[in-house]
Amino acid sequence: MYPEIEPYDHGMLDVGDGHHVYWEVCGNPEGKPAVVLHGGPGSGCSTNARRYFDPDAYRVVLFDQRGCGRSTPHAGAPVVDLSTNTTDHLIADMELLREFLGIERWQLFGASWGAVLGLVYAVRHPERVSELVLAGVATGRQEEVDLLVTGLGPMFPEAHARFRTFAGDADDLCAAYAKLLHEPSVQQQAADEWCAWEDAMLPLTPNDPRWDPPAYRLAFARLVTHYWANGSFIPDGYVLANADRLAGIPGVIVQGELDLGNLVGTPWLLAHAWPDAELVLIRDTAHGGSASMTEARIAATDRFR
């Protein structure tokens, strides 16, 4: 990765609905604009994300999506309203931030949920996107969510039994957890159980130190279940059905061959539906990434600089 750098500018952007989104800009103020879309939903941006870009060539924008990281109000608060936290709101926030920073077009760099958000943004605003660099790709389909919440249960039976039991063996585990995560007497335990399942189904993923604060786990679990229980607030199959709108936008999909999300075929379906995409497969790598995946993602940003 490129050396560690610090932002040369940062702030809080009032995006409406009582939300203020944290943003920062690193690298070369005159460089090629790129925006980092973090995962989750709810993980917040990390300092390591700055290091995927040549700091002499790129003007790198990072921001914490609504409800997480340094943005306010934080979804890890004891009581929180998520009604104005949807995919439409996040895309509107991106447009406000782009205009605020005076950027015409930018490269979208994201993984996992960040890939979903980037793809939806690119479908709706293709004229604002220079390239996409995606990893651990998802598109927000219900089939992808069902795989992670129930379909992988037989692979990790003990962990999934505990995960189901806490939610009373509900038919819709996302909706059940979303409700439990707003009940004061059990909300923190529900967050811990949700995050324990996340850890169980991603066995090759290094432990993220951000898991440690209880408020982080609560915000993360609330936002993931909020989005997943509502179909990511997009029509099912939306990205693949509209992938023709990505024509003319070059992109790289960096995917681990051991990523369990591959079981529903998402990276291959996307690569075939998106005319200008290149699919790069990384051996011995799961959803959490690896040194080889990092190298491939940096090779993509270097190519586009």
Side-chain angles (χ1 to χ4, degrees):
M1 303 183 83
Y2 283 99
E4 294 184 6
I5 55 174
E6 293 297 322
Y8 66 79
D9 198 7
H10 69 281
M12 300 289 287
L13 180 65
D14 185 347
V15 293
D17 309 309
H19 286 271
H20 291 79
V21 165
Y22 171 82
W23 60 270
E24 63 183 41
V25 189
C26 310
N28 181 353
E30 304 301 321
K32 179 186 181 76
V35 61
V36 175
L37 306 175
H38 66 68
S43 67
C45 60
S46 69
T47 56
N48 259 356
R50 305 167 183 165
R51 302 176 60 197
Y52 285 95
F53 304 87
D54 180 345
D56 293 328
Y58 276 99
R59 181 187 181 194
V60 186
V61 179
L62 299 93
F63 72 100
D64 292 326
Q65 295 159 29
R66 291 191 182 202
C68 65
R70 287 151 288 189
S71 295
T72 61
H74 196 268
V79 178
V80 64
D81 175 18
L82 299 181
S83 63
T84 56
N85 197 322
T86 70
T87 302
D88 287 349
H89 287 99
L90 299 187
I91 289 175
D93 294 348
M94 289 176 62
E95 279 294 272
L96 281 173
L97 180 58
R98 182 188 61 77
E99 293 170 1
F100 173 76
L101 295 174
I103 293 171
E104 285 294 317
R105 298 169 73 228
W106 50 8
Q107 179 184 119
L108 307 183
F109 181 94
S112 194
W113 164 253
V116 180
L117 184 59
L119 287 163
V120 176
Y121 178 94
V123 164
R124 296 185 183 176
H125 300 286
E127 74 284 358
R128 299 302 181 191
V129 181
S130 58
E131 307 91 14
L132 291 107
V133 177
L134 309 176
V137 73
T139 62
R141 292 185 298 150
Q142 188 61 44
E143 188 176 7
E144 297 164 4
V145 172
D146 290 344
L147 172 69
L148 299 178
V149 177
T150 58
L152 295 180
M155 294 187 69
F156 310 102
E158 185 175 353
H160 198 257
R162 174 173 171 169
F163 178 62
R164 289 195 323 269
T165 299
F166 187 81
D169 283 315
D171 292 334
D172 186 338
L173 290 172
C174 282
Y177 268 93
K179 181 178 180 181
L180 291 168
L181 287 160
H182 287 83
E183 295 183 6
S185 62
V186 296
Q187 61 188 21
Q188 191 60 58
Q189 187 180 355
D192 294 344
E193 294 294 339
W194 182 273
C195 293
W197 171 242
E198 292 260 356
D199 284 339
M201 67 176 172
L202 300 173
L204 299 182
T205 302
N207 289 329
D208 188 334
R210 292 178 296 175
W211 275 140
D212 293 339
Y216 176 91
R217 296 196 298 275
L218 182 55
F220 177 86
R222 275 178 171 166
L223 288 168
V224 171
T225 56
H226 173 63
Y227 275 79
W228 287 5
N230 288 284
S232 297
F233 298 99
I234 55 176
D236 195 21
Y238 177 80
V239 168
L240 294 178
N242 292 278
D244 60 308
R245 290 182 57 78
L246 304 177
I249 302 175
V252 177
I253 303 165
V254 182
Q255 194 74 12
E257 289 188 344
L258 301 181
D259 190 326
L260 295 176
N262 295 346
L263 293 171
V264 293
T266 297
W268 294 273
L269 293 170
L270 178 61
H272 283 86
W274 174 8
D276 299 279
E278 175 190 356
L279 177 59
V280 178
L281 295 175
I282 308 297
R283 296 188 63 83
D284 303 322
T285 298
H287 192 73
S290 67
S292 297
M293 177 173 276
T294 295
E295 183 178 336
R297 297 172 78 187
I298 292 173
T301 63
D302 281 352
R303 185 201 313 178
F304 294 136
R305 66 187 164 186

